[in-house]
């Protein structure tokens, strides 16, 4: 490059920006459909961004090759007033053009300021759903409060620190012993359509009502499944959808038994149940919100969820 050439370096055409853009698009789509797709998009975007930056920075050497120094004159030294200037302007003094420095520092400062503003906002926006969203096991009372083969409408406080706003209802049925262990079906009362409270399709027995602390137990007499009053969703006695708009079976809860008491655990979603009682085959899925398909092609149409 001639010493006084002020033209900025312009890198040649490259496909890296296109690859970067494709990676960002895949990342965005992945945030809707799947963590795996999002991860793939992030990797593609990072790789192409690296190649792009490398292309930009490699095109212009920061230190240009200096021309070979002129041969030193030999013989008698000239007087200071004779000959050329003692220190002519060297081409090496134009090693890093001012325009390029200003361009890099402007972009760098912009990225720094953008990061300082964006990262905390994103953290506050995305972070909370990933923190302390778990539900602790709750004691529903002694096993003797749950007669075999009968659903008990059980209302309890899911989180005592949140008070009554966390009151929940589940339908609990003791299925008897299976392989020497007590078996329970614990079905959520949240409709799998839009979350309305599902009711047993049959009479309750108020005379059998029991209260264990903040747990209220009301036995059913005989039910033919569950029904939703909002839009007519219907479920059989295992929680399978039989009619109406719900997109899957009723959710269930894990359970554990400690010191002769039944503890209700974390909820999970169910696509369908084959069989009945303790020997039923339950197709489980991670807990999903009402209205979301958990299997089939439709399940790809919902945004990925934070852990809950
Ligand atoms: S919310 Fe239950 S059917 Fe719509």
């Amino acid at each position: 490059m001639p010493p006084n050439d002020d033209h900025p370096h312009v890198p040649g055409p490259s496909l890296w920006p296109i690859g970067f853009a494709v990676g960002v698009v895949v990342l965005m789509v992945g945030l809707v459909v799947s963590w795996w797709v999002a991860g793939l998009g992030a990797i593609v975007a990072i790789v192409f961004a690296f190649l792009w930056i490398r292309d930009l920075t490699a095109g212009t050497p920061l230190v240009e090759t200096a021309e070979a120094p002129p041969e030193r004159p030999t013989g008698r030294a000239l007087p200071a007033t004779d000959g050329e200037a003692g220190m002519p302007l060297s081409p090496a003094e134009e090693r890093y053009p001012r325009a390029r420095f200003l361009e890099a520092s402007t972009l760098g400062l912009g990225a720094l300021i953008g990061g300082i503003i964006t990262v905390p906002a994103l953290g506050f926006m995305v972070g909370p759903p990933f923190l302390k969203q778990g539900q602790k096991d709750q004691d529903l009372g002694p096993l003797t409060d749950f007669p075999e083969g009968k659903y008990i409408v059980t209302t309890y406080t899911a989180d005592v620190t949140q008070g009554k706003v966390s009151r929940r209802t589940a339908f609990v049925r003791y299925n008897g012993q299976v392989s020497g262990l007590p078996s329970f079906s614990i079905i959520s009362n949240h409709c799998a359509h839009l979350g309305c409270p599902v009711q047993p399709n049959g009479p309750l027995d108020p005379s059998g009502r029991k209260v264990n602390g903040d747990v209220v137990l009301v036995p059913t007499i005989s039910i033919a499944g569950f029904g939703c009053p909002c839009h007519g969703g219907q479920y059989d006695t295992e929680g399978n959808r039989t009619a109406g708009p719900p997109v899957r079976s009723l959710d269930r809860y894990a359970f554990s038994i400690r010191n002769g008491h039944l503890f209700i655990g974390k909820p999970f979603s169910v696509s369908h149940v084959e069989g009945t009682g303790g020997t039923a085959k339950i197709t489980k899925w991670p807990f999903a919100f009402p209205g979301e398909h958990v299997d089939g092609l439709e399940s790809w149409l919902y945004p990925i969820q934070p852990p809950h």
Side-chain angles (χ1 to χ4, degrees), residues 234-254:
Q234 294 295 318
Y235 306 88
D236 67 16
T237 53
E238 298 303 319
N240 285 310
R241 172 198 168 277
T242 55
V247 298
R248 60 174 197 260
S249 302
L250 289 171
D251 297 334
R252 292 193 175 211
Y253 289 91

Side-chain angles (χ1 to χ4, degrees), residues 39-262:
L40 178 67
I43 292 171
V44 170
I46 290 170
V47 168
F48 278 94
F50 170 77
L51 293 171
W52 188 12
I53 292 170
R54 192 189 65 166
D55 217 20
L56 287 175
T57 54
T60 300
L62 295 183
V63 179
E64 294 186 0
T65 307
E67 293 178 8
E71 285 187 11
R72 296 175 70 90
T74 56
R76 188 173 62 84
L78 293 173
T81 52
D82 292 353
E84 299 177 0
M87 293 191 61
L89 186 63
S90 164
E93 289 182 7
E94 288 289 334
R95 288 173 179 171
Y96 200 91
R98 187 186 335 179
R100 188 161 183 76
F101 168 75
L102 288 175
E103 179 188 356
S105 48
T106 304
L107 287 175
L109 272 177
L112 180 66
I113 293 170
I116 288 173
I117 293 172
T118 309
V119 170
L122 273 179
F124 283 118
M125 190 172 68
V126 177
F130 292 87
L131 303 173
K132 296 182 181 175
Q133 298 294 308
Q135 179 177 309
K136 290 182 183 157
D137 294 358
Q138 295 298 327
D139 185 355
L140 298 185
L143 298 183
T144 51
D145 283 348
F146 299 93
E148 184 171 345
K150 183 177 282 191
Y151 272 112
I152 308 291
V153 181
T154 307
T155 306
Y156 64 101
T157 304
D159 186 344
V160 289
T161 63
Q162 294 181 9
K164 289 188 176 178
V165 75
S166 69
R167 293 289 282 174
R168 302 278 186 274
T169 297
F171 307 119
V172 183
R173 183 186 62 195
Y174 175 47
N175 300 319
Q177 300 275 322
V178 175
S179 302
L181 295 172
S183 164
F184 283 87
S185 297
I186 305 184
I187 295 181
S188 167
N189 79 329
H190 287 164
C191 183
H193 177 218
L194 295 177
C196 278
V198 165
Q199 313 289 329
N201 288 337
L204 304 183
D205 178 13
S207 63
R209 185 174 187 270
K210 280 188 185 171
V211 179
N212 295 330
D214 69 347
V215 178
V216 179
L217 308 171
V218 181
T220 58
I221 295 175
S222 174
I223 66 169
F226 305 94
C228 179
C230 290
H231 313 104
Q234 294 295 318
Y235 306 88
D236 67 16
T237 53
E238 298 303 319
N240 285 310
R241 172 198 168 277
T242 55
V247 298
R248 60 174 197 260
S249 302
L250 289 171
D251 297 334
R252 292 193 175 211
Y253 289 91
F255 69 91
S256 58
I257 293 165
R258 303 173 210 166
N259 301 322
H261 279 226
L262 174 66

